[in-house]
Amino acid sequence: MDFLVYGGSVVTMGRLGVVRDGAVLVEGDRIVEVGRSEEVKRRNPRGYERIDAEGKIIIPGLVNTHHHLAMSLLRGYADDLPLKEWLEKWIWPVESLMTGEDIYLGAKLTAVESVLGGCTTVNTMYHYAPEFNEARAIAEVGIRGVVGHVCFSWRKDEDIRLTKMLVEKWHGAENGRVRVSVDPHAPYTVDPGYMRELWSLTSELNEKYRDKAPVIWHIHLAETMDEAEKVEKAFNVDVKDGVVVYLDRLGVLGPIVIAAHCVHLTDKDIAVLASRDVKVSHNPVSNLKLGSGISPVPRLLESGVTVGLGTDSVCSNNSSDMFETMKLAALIHKGVSMNPALMDAWRVLRMATIDGARALNWSDEIGSIEPGKKADLVIIDAMKPHMRPMYSEVSHLVYAAKYGDVETVFVGGRPIVENREVKTVDVEELITQVSKARDRLMEKVRR
Ligand SMILES: [Zn+2]
């Protein structure tokens, strides 16, 4: 679709900053021109569908750097429990009963939920099932995603087989909208030998798919206070300098790594994250809900680490709302540091857009509104009482805007949401299917 959006405030997250009364010209799946409405219109007097965005804000699609899409089937199933009990008594037993179709439905629900909130790219770690899976859900809803199969020491052969199948079928699929990652679950569930084996697999895959896109490495890291101790106990290794230092000694860190959480870090850990250019996904809502703690994000940023934002699964959130996550990310560090100058709105919005894209090694195509990039655009209605008056678009996006203010969403130039209506999926039908899947699951749990 070729179109011209004009008349709104374009928050480019690129060189042009915020362009008031701005315009974005899209040809096919790419942005070709960005600038003042008057000029862009003058240069392109005809041939494009015109979308009047007066009173609206146009932003690049938000990037959610850590999720488990399929887990939305368990939204609200178990809350307010310690992490170990929550996982071992509640979440893992039900997950073991989930079929591929459940995974697909849960992922589809989250993909729809995400795009209705302006999120166009998700990074998700879950179990891959050949026919019905998260990648298929992402493809059908029409968003962008990095999909990984979660790997554990206790099922090595199966994991490697499934990861290879996933890569073969989905890496670069859907005109590049779907990418694949290698996902060791965490340092305490993946033994050192297996960790190295998965790293070699990642290198092999990157060699093989050099011309397509990077195969990134997605891992949970330093989430809870006792993680180092758990790793030491499980594998009889030395983790006294921190879990990041431990992984570095294994030789499994580099710029393609995105580490989710990074709450409990030593000074040495932070230095290694910076020197290896490891990317961090900050998940403030999940870390608070699970009582894990608060990631030292201001220190990470000061050290030069690229930090994106994530919601984590809706089991520990319980939504995929990136606006809520942005606001909390801006507020929480001010509160604990008693410093209101930390984590300003611009910084936080970067984390949800261009830095999130960098964190996924995808910033050459997404994360900002600039010529040559994919047309992932979100139009936000700013003519609402809670969005008026307007001094700063960036301030409003982080502190005032809500999930429901997202009006229209394009992914690669294709309208996925128009006036809050999802164009690619029958949402009512999806909700009916999800309810049935929930009932089937609970039936199995009772047995
Ligand atoms: Zn997670």
Side-chain angles (χ1 to χ4, degrees):
M1 181 175 163
D2 297 346
F3 61 94
L4 175 72
V5 189
Y6 68 94
S9 289
V10 183
V11 178
T12 66
M13 304 315 289
R15 202 173 38 82
L16 291 179
V18 178
V19 185
R20 289 202 170 153
D21 192 6
V24 185
L25 185 71
V26 174
E27 282 179 12
D29 66 348
R30 298 211 182 243
I31 297 161
V32 291
E33 229 182 294
V34 184
R36 304 258 314 152
S37 290
E38 206 183 304
E39 290 156 24
V40 178
K41 278 203 257 182
R42 196 178 55 234
R43 279 196 295 270
N44 305 278
R46 63 191 141 261
Y48 297 93
E49 189 180 319
R50 282 167 193 248
I51 300 167
D52 184 352
E54 199 190 326
K56 296 175 187 182
I57 304 175
I58 301 138
I59 61 170
L62 301 173
V63 180
N64 189 338
T65 56
H66 182 64
H67 214 318
H68 310 275
L69 297 190
M71 289 177 81
S72 64
L73 277 196
L74 303 177
R75 189 194 320 263
Y77 172 61
D79 301 309
D80 314 324
L81 295 163
L83 180 65
K84 190 172 148 66
E85 186 188 339
W86 178 73
L87 277 176
E88 290 176 5
K89 281 207 182 138
W90 293 86
I91 300 300
W92 285 345
V94 198
E95 282 188 304
S96 69
L97 301 170
M98 279 168 68
T99 62
E101 203 180 345
D102 292 332
I103 291 170
Y104 160 78
L105 277 175
K108 208 162 168 183
L109 184 69
T110 311
V112 166
E113 181 196 357
S114 297
V115 76
L116 277 168
C119 171
T120 53
T121 303
V122 290
N123 182 33
T124 181
M125 171 194 289
Y126 208 66
H127 308 272
Y128 179 66
E131 195 187 346
F132 289 98
N133 51 61
E134 292 192 316
R136 180 166 167 182
I138 286 171
E140 287 180 10
V141 175
I143 63 166
R144 221 174 272 288
V146 185
V147 182
H149 167 76
V150 61
C151 298
F152 296 101
S153 273
W154 57 80
R155 54 174 204 197
K156 292 181 189 175
D157 295 344
E158 186 193 346
D159 285 343
I160 292 196
R161 185 174 58 83
L162 287 171
T163 298
K164 284 182 173 165
M165 281 171 78
L166 171 62
V167 172
E168 214 147 283
K169 175 133 176 60
W170 288 102
H171 192 54
E174 301 287 312
N175 190 27
R177 265 198 298 116
V178 180
R179 292 182 172 187
V180 168
S181 57
V182 174
D183 295 9
H185 173 257
Y188 57 94
T189 46
V190 174
D191 64 78
Y194 190 30
M195 199 69 91
R196 285 203 197 93
E197 196 179 334
L198 290 171
W199 187 256
S200 311
L201 172 68
T202 312
S203 308
E204 262 170 52
L205 292 171
N206 273 309
E207 187 56 37
K208 185 169 171 191
Y209 293 104
R210 211 171 14 189
D211 305 329
K212 261 191 183 155
V215 175
I216 64 169
W217 163 279
H218 182 191
I219 187 169
H220 293 104
L221 190 57
E223 181 172 1
T224 55
M225 200 155 65
D226 60 352
E227 187 166 309
E229 198 187 311
K230 275 198 285 189
V231 179
E232 279 177 338
K233 274 200 186 133
F235 309 121
N236 193 25
V237 287
D238 172 11
V239 196
K240 70 173 181 315
D241 287 334
V243 280
V244 181
V245 173
Y246 159 73
L247 286 190
D248 194 39
R249 271 204 306 270
L250 296 180
V252 297
L253 293 181
I256 58 159
V257 174
I258 177 154
H261 304 305
C262 291
V263 176
H264 297 279
L265 300 168
T266 63
D267 290 348
K268 285 183 183 165
D269 282 337
I270 293 178
V272 171
L273 289 173
S275 69
R276 296 284 180 209
D277 192 17
V278 172
K279 316 301 194 289
V280 169
S281 173
H282 178 35
N283 298 254
V285 179
S286 169
N287 296 153
L288 287 183
K289 183 161 186 266
L290 296 178
S292 305
I294 295 167
S295 169
V297 172
R299 281 181 61 209
L300 291 171
L301 295 171
E302 225 172 85
S303 308
V305 177
T306 300
V307 183
L309 290 181
T311 57
D312 206 350
S313 92
V314 303
C315 289
S316 57
N317 189 300
N318 293 2
S319 84
S320 305
D321 184 343
M322 287 293 284
F323 286 94
E324 183 181 78
T325 292
M326 279 198 279
K327 182 163 181 173
L328 187 62
L331 298 184
I332 194 171
H333 304 283
K334 300 183 201 307
V336 292
S337 317
M338 292 186 277
N339 177 2
L342 282 181
M343 304 291 285
D344 61 84
W346 179 251
R347 162 51 74 187
V348 172
L349 189 60
R350 282 180 54 123
M351 289 166 73
T353 54
I354 186 65
D355 287 350
R358 279 199 189 106
L360 301 183
N361 282 252
W362 209 335
S363 57
D364 57 331
E365 290 193 324
I366 59 171
S368 61
I369 302 178
E370 293 180 283
K373 285 208 179 180
K374 296 281 189 185
D376 293 4
L377 303 173
V378 176
I379 302 178
I380 291 164
D381 184 1
M383 293 300 269
K384 291 183 173 179
H386 67 273
M387 296 286 275
R388 289 288 146 179
M390 176 80 70
Y391 301 98
S392 155
E393 287 81 355
V394 173
S395 165
H396 275 13
L397 288 166
V398 173
Y399 294 118
K402 314 252 172 256
Y403 174 96
D405 298 335
V406 169
E407 196 180 79
T408 292
V409 181
F410 295 92
V411 179
R414 178 182 176 209
I416 308 298
V417 177
E418 257 175 341
N419 294 315
R420 290 211 67 67
E421 191 192 323
V422 179
K423 308 305 283 181
T424 47
V425 172
D426 181 340
V427 178
E428 226 170 276
E429 169 67 23
L430 174 64
I431 289 172
T432 305
Q433 287 174 330
V434 163
S435 302
K436 284 184 186 158
R438 174 226 175 265
D439 293 348
R440 278 198 306 270
L441 258 182
M442 289 305 104
E443 188 64 33
K444 281 193 222 167
V445 169
R446 277 193 290 271
R447 255 184 242 145

